[in-house]
């Protein structure tokens, strides 16, 4: 049996309780290298403090499982839902998102105590929960995995603000130093199906599975590399308005954008492992949709649509690739496949699939209300917990966002 099969089987056989405990532990492990001050800083309004991620994921379980499904459960602190509700209007008023970094109290240790309190209550309640609550535990696990990725990208953004450029942790050496030659392969033409089936967990936005028409197209065998991005810069990519969408050109001018987010002028980049030489063979990352779109135009290509990407990835194993297995520093690496290293921008807006219905109850606010002004990203990144993503997965961010591990793969009409 291959290591790959071992991993897939292990995941299928792990009970809900085991996966819950493993997920909760990984979040604590991710916080282990941080001081209270590290965990309190909010580098910009869209990013959240590490401490807030730890508490908010706990609030999710406390609110939607313990409060709603466990008679007699008492909140750890009645004032804290106001602090740690993210965006659920159904749950009432909350602390302003841009001010999350002002929460010097509760301390990191108090948040750890909150986690222990909720974990103990979940452990005690698990065997007696109704099926609807077990589904919410599954959602809570997947929700916490999303925040584990945000935890890493937000702490990278936090440390990038510090002139001392502290490393979060040590990066292991690269195992591969080469890039495959770029080639394009024909995608399927005609009516195909995309979206999640009704089997197993998927977020509401991935359903229903439905038919869609693909015109003739080709898709690249690999992601765009840092070396290719260097060529784009050298060729005046950031100074040629005809390559850019109007909104993208205005954004670039206003923000003074001229390279991926963490690149420095001396050929180095800032990573979770601190400052290092740019790995030219690795997939480019920390680029916005606008940059990805302009690069594709410069290449004589375009970004794939969500449906083209999903059909292309349908036969790939989402468990394989450079993804998050344990706490520590991560970085995109050369030589990866379809899933892992970087999320891939698509040309598709984040809109409901035909027949989409939001989940019932307060968690119906999870995805549906964000279907405006955001682009779909597919795949997984080096910071995505392994097992979290799949071909139908729909990550989404506004087109100017670039603090996530975002990159691209080219496509073109055929
Ligand atoms: Fe959340």
């Amino acid at each position: 049996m291959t290591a790959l099969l071992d991993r897939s089987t292990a995941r299928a056989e792990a009970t809900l309780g085991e996966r819950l405990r493993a997920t909760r532990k990984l979040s604590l492990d991710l916080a282990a290298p941080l001081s209270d001050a590290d965990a309190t800083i909010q580098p910009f309004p869209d990013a959240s403090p590490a401490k807030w991620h730890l508490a908010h994921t706990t609030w999710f379980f406390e609110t939607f499982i313990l409060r709603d499904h466990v008679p007699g459960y008492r909140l750890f602190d009645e004032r804290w839902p106001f602090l740690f509700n993210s965006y659920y209007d159904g749950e009432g008023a909350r602390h302003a998102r841009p001010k999350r970094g002002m929460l010097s109290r509760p301390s990191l240790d108090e948040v750890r105590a909150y986690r222990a309190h909720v974990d103990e209550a979940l452990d005690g309640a698990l065997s007696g929960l109704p099926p609807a609550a077990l589904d919410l535990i599954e959602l809570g696990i997947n929700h916490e995995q999303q925040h584990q990725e945000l935890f890493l990208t937000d702490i990278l953004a936090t440390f990038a603000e510090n002139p001392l450029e502290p490393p979060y942790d040590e990066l292991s050496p690269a195992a591969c130093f080469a890039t495959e030659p770029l080639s394009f392969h024909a995608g399927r033409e005609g009516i195909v199906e995309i979206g999640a089936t009704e089997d197993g967990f998927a977020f509401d936005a991935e359903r229903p599975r439905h038919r869609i028409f693909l015109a003739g197209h080709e898709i690249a065998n690999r992601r765009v590399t840092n070396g290719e991005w260097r060529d784009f810069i050298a060729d005046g990519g950031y100074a040629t308005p005809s390559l850019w969408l109007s909104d993208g050109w205005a954004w670039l001018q206003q923000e003074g954008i001229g390279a991926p987010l963490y690149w420095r002028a001396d050929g180095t980049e800032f990573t979770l492992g601190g400052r290092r030489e740019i790995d030219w063979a690795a997939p480019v990352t920390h680029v916005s949709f606008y940059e990805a779109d302009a690069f594709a135009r410069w290449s004589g290509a375009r970004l794939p649509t969500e449906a083209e990407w999903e059909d292309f990835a349908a036969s790939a194993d989402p468990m394989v690739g450079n993804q998050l297995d344990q706490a520590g520093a991560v970085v995109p690496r050369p030589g990866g496949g379809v899933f892992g290293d970087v999320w891939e921008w698509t040309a598709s807006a984040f809109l409901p699939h035909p027949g989409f219905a939001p989940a019932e109850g307060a968690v119906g606010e999870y995805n549906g209300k964000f279907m405006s002004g955001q682009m779909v990203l597919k795949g997984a990144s080096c910071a995505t917990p392994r097992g979290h993503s799949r071909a139908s997965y729909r990550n989404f961010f506004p087109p100017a966002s670039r603090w996530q591990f975002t990159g691209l793969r080219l496509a073109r009409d055929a």
Side-chain angles (χ1 to χ4, degrees):
M1 186 181 276
T2 65
L4 163 65
L5 276 175
D6 281 335
R7 272 206 302 268
S8 302
T9 313
R11 179 168 178 252
E13 288 174 358
T15 66
L16 188 67
E18 286 165 349
R19 289 195 294 115
L20 173 63
R21 282 185 282 277
T23 302
R24 299 285 292 162
K25 179 176 183 305
L26 177 57
S27 298
L28 283 179
D29 291 347
L30 286 169
L34 304 183
S35 69
D36 200 315
D38 294 335
T40 300
I41 289 178
Q42 180 173 28
F44 59 97
D46 283 344
S48 296
K51 195 168 68 180
W52 188 91
H53 286 298
L54 295 176
H56 161 71
T57 48
T58 305
W59 166 84
F60 190 95
F61 285 112
E62 183 180 58
T63 303
F64 298 121
I65 311 290
L66 298 175
R67 184 199 66 184
D68 289 354
H69 292 280
V70 178
Y73 175 77
R74 300 222 359 221
L75 296 184
F76 179 76
D77 187 316
E78 293 192 350
R79 301 166 301 171
W80 287 19
F82 182 82
L83 301 181
F84 300 125
N85 173 7
S86 51
Y87 54 66
Y88 294 84
D89 290 321
E91 290 299 323
R94 59 196 175 271
H95 188 56
R97 178 180 182 129
K99 295 204 170 234
R100 288 174 187 168
M102 300 297 172
L103 300 177
S104 58
R105 317 287 175 90
S107 69
L108 181 55
D109 276 346
E110 287 171 311
V111 168
R112 288 196 179 105
Y114 180 36
R115 291 183 67 90
H117 173 89
V118 165
D119 287 344
E120 195 183 326
L122 284 171
D123 241 2
L126 207 55
S127 60
L129 288 175
L134 295 176
D135 287 349
L136 288 166
I137 297 250
E138 184 69 65
L139 181 64
I141 291 171
N142 281 271
H143 171 251
E144 183 142 353
Q145 289 178 323
Q146 292 180 314
H147 279 277
Q148 288 165 347
E149 175 149 12
L150 293 168
F151 183 106
L152 285 169
T153 52
D154 291 354
I155 209 69
L156 174 58
T158 299
F159 284 172
E161 291 292 330
N162 188 331
L164 296 178
E165 299 188 318
Y168 163 70
D169 199 0
E170 207 167 302
L171 276 172
S172 58
C176 170
F177 302 94
T179 310
E180 277 179 89
L182 181 67
S183 60
F184 285 84
H185 301 277
R188 289 201 293 170
E189 185 175 352
I191 293 174
V192 302
E193 285 194 356
I194 64 163
T197 64
E198 293 303 310
D199 299 333
F201 177 82
F203 287 105
D204 55 2
E206 297 171 59
R207 291 181 171 133
R209 192 162 173 84
H210 61 282
R211 292 178 303 163
I212 191 164
F213 180 76
L214 297 184
H217 67 283
E218 296 180 327
I219 196 157
N221 59 326
R222 61 161 172 78
R223 278 73 67 87
V224 169
T225 64
N226 286 324
E228 289 161 340
W229 204 272
R230 176 180 53 186
D231 296 343
F232 171 67
I233 296 175
D235 196 40
Y238 283 95
T240 309
S242 59
L243 295 174
W244 294 78
L245 292 168
S246 174
D247 286 349
W249 184 250
W251 166 79
L252 172 159
Q253 303 279 332
Q254 190 177 333
E255 303 292 328
I257 305 285
L261 179 57
Y262 296 122
W263 282 24
R264 306 290 187 250
D266 62 355
T268 62
E269 62 177 347
F270 186 65
T271 70
L272 285 164
R275 185 93 84 94
R276 64 167 206 169
E277 299 288 314
I278 296 173
D279 182 346
W280 301 111
V284 69
T285 190
H286 302 301
V287 293
S288 68
F289 167 80
Y290 294 133
E291 291 166 282
D293 175 81
F295 180 96
R297 194 165 292 108
W298 173 77
S299 305
R302 60 171 172 78
L303 296 176
T305 66
E306 177 180 14
E308 287 168 349
W309 194 99
E310 189 167 331
D311 193 53
F312 154 78
S315 58
D317 187 340
M319 294 293 284
V320 175
N322 175 18
Q323 299 170 44
L324 186 69
D325 286 311
Q326 61 198 23
V330 294
V331 75
R333 307 283 196 183
V338 177
F339 290 87
D341 299 300
V342 294
W343 290 98
E344 300 181 19
W345 286 109
T346 71
S348 300
F350 182 53
L351 294 171
H353 282 338
F356 166 72
E360 283 181 24
V363 294
E365 295 187 50
Y366 204 105
N367 287 307
K369 73 181 191 181
F370 299 110
M371 290 173 173
S372 163
Q374 317 227 34
M375 303 306 290
V376 173
L377 298 116
K378 302 293 274 186
S381 87
C382 53
T384 310
R386 191 180 306 283
H388 178 70
S389 193
R390 57 202 150 261
S392 62
Y393 197 96
R394 312 182 76 195
N395 197 355
F396 55 90
F397 278 93
S401 303
R402 54 188 207 150
W403 89 106
Q404 299 301 301
F405 288 102
T406 48
L408 72 153
R409 174 188 306 269
L410 298 174
R412 61 190 184 193
D413 296 333

